[in-house]
Every structure is written in C-alpha cells, then in structure tokens.
C-alpha cells in the first residue's frame, strides 16, 4: 500500500517549486524592463503622448537653437508677431530705416536677461530665460497645438528644458531655481512660431516643473 503521507509531502513540495519558479519569472520580467519616462500632467494644457524619440517640428527646433546661440535675427525671422510688427512699422513710417530701427529694438529685447525678468509668472515667461546657453533641451512630445491661436497652430513641440546651474536657471514665482520644465512651441502651417502666452511665446506646463538639483550647484 502507498505511503499517503509521503505522497502528500511530495505534492506539496512540487507545488512550492512551481510557485517559486513563477514568482522568479515575474520578478525577472519586471526587473529587466527599461524605465518609462514620466508623463507631464495635463494641467491647463492638453495632455500629449510622451516619447523620448519625438521628431520636433524643424521650425520649433530652429527656434530653440537660435535662442541658445544668440541668433536674434533668426528668432525675428521665424516669429510671426515680430514679422507683423516690422511690416506695420514700415507701412506706418514708409521707410526701410524705420523697419531696421525696430528690428534692432527687438534684437536688444531678445538679448536682455535680467534678474527681475527671470521669474515665471502666471502670464508666462520671456523665451530667452528658458532657452539659455548650456541648458539641455529635449523634444518630448508633439501635438496639434494650442487651440484658438490666429492663425491656427499646425503643431506644437513640447521640450523638456533642464538647466545646468542654479545661477542660470529660471526661477519660479517664489524665486526658487527650477531644475527642469516643459514648454511648448506652437508653429503655424506657413512655418512661423506663434505667440502662445501673454508674456513670451511659449506654452508652459506648470505641472511639469522639477527641483531635483541634488548636489548640482
């Protein structure tokens, strides 16, 4: 007659081995998956699909590069409201000299970075305080753009901007240096950057603001 006690023990041992193997497989699958990037909160701006392999709108990419390298004529050339401003001045005064004087005034404004201006406000922030030299700018999402702009946006590229130093970083409303922030550049179908905020041209995702400086000075 079979030893029922031995059979029972063997059944329990087999079950434990199967359970342990299953748990080990599950752990391996989760442990070897690549970490997923955080998603920006929707906040006041539409949620965009997040990807770190986004191909930025070429105009938006050129705009960022021009700010970081101080190519102010390029910024003026591809910003719609600035081009409209130059045409208005020339039409009003009827002279190319007036247009050139206005262009130089715009250049001066773009190149200025002051302590008072370097603070994020509910109305926005001037772009030169975001796309500063030395900051790391990465395209993270692409969507259809902010609704209601005139002319309408064809696309909006979201960029994550990470500042290299506290001394060069954008400050929040309390004056605290921001480590990284997400901003959107709206581009029209005819290839111009559109004005998305009362101050500056950028859409700002106020829920994608991080202060993880750790030991960075």
């Amino acid at each position: 007659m079979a030893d029922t006690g031995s059979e029972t023990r063997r059944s329990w041992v087999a079950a434990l081995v199967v359970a342990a193997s299953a748990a080990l497989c599950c752990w391996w699958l989760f442990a070897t998956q690549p970490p997923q990037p955080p998603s920006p909160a929707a906040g006041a701006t539409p949620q965009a699909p997040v990807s770190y392999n986004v191909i930025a709108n070429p105009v938006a990419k050129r705009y960022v590069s021009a700010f970081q390298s101080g190519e102010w004529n390029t910024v003026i050339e591809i910003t719609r409201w600035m081009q409209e401003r130059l045409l208005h001045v020339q039409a009003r005064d009827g002279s190319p000299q007036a247009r050139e004087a206005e262009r130089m005034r715009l250049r001066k404004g773009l190149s200025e970075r002051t302590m008072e201006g370097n603070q994020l406000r509910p109305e926005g922030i001037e772009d030169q305080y975001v796309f500063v030299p030395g900051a790391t700018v990465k395209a993270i999402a692409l969507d259809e753009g902010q609704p209601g702009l005139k002319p309408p946006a064809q696309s909006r590229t979201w960029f994550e901007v990470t500042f290299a130093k506290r001394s060069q970083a954008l400050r929040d409303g309390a004056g605290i240096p921001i480590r990284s922030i997400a901003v959107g550049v709206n581009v029209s179908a005819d290839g111009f950057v559109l004005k998305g905020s009362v101050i500056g041209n950028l859409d700002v995702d106020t829920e994608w603001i991080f202060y993880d400086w750790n030991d960075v000075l």
Side-chain angles (χ1 to χ4, degrees):
M1 180 179 295
D3 186 345
T4 56
S6 298
E7 290 292 336
T8 301
R9 284 193 295 272
R10 282 196 294 269
S11 298
W12 275 104
V13 170
L16 289 173
V17 169
V18 170
S21 299
L24 182 60
C25 289
C26 289
W27 172 86
W28 183 87
L29 285 172
F30 282 104
T32 56
Q33 290 298 310
Q36 299 300 309
S39 298
T45 56
Q47 181 82 15
V50 176
S51 170
Y52 277 83
N53 297 311
V54 170
I55 298 177
N57 181 293
V59 175
K61 188 175 180 180
R62 185 182 177 201
Y63 186 73
V64 172
S65 176
F67 263 104
Q68 290 197 288
S69 58
E71 298 173 23
W72 310 126
N73 286 337
T74 298
V75 173
I76 295 169
E77 175 189 337
I78 61 178
T79 304
R80 175 172 286 278
W81 76 263
M82 292 185 184
Q83 286 299 304
E84 291 175 344
R85 175 65 181 166
L86 293 178
L87 289 173
H88 173 75
V89 168
Q90 184 170 346
R92 182 190 63 196
D93 294 86
S95 74
Q97 290 79 12
R99 177 189 176 104
E100 180 61 17
E102 181 64 16
R103 187 177 68 83
M104 295 305 294
R105 189 188 70 81
L106 290 172
R107 279 178 54 95
K108 184 175 184 297
L110 290 168
S111 63
E112 287 181 346
R113 293 188 178 99
T114 65
M115 289 183 63
E116 295 78 12
N118 186 32
Q119 189 167 22
L120 182 63
R121 293 172 171 80
E123 299 82 11
I125 183 69
E126 296 289 356
D127 303 22
Q128 63 264 32
Y129 295 103
V130 178
F131 301 132
V132 297
T136 300
V137 183
K138 181 189 300 183
I140 57 172
L142 189 68
D143 64 18
E144 295 180 352
Q146 182 186 140
L149 297 180
K150 295 183 179 180
Q154 182 187 57
S155 71
R156 172 173 51 185
T157 305
W158 288 95
F159 295 97
E160 181 184 54
V161 182
T162 303
F163 300 99
K165 299 178 180 179
R166 287 185 176 87
S167 59
Q168 296 176 336
L170 172 66
R171 306 281 169 148
D172 67 10
I176 301 171
I178 294 169
R179 174 61 165 161
S180 61
I181 189 171
V183 295
V185 179
N186 292 278
V187 177
S188 63
D190 55 353
F192 286 95
V193 172
L194 302 175
K195 188 169 181 61
S197 297
V198 176
I199 301 176
N201 300 323
L202 305 175
D203 287 333
V204 177
D205 189 338
T206 55
E207 295 192 23
W208 190 320
I209 296 177
F210 297 96
Y211 301 87
D212 52 331
W213 288 99
N214 299 325
D215 59 349
V216 179
L217 301 177

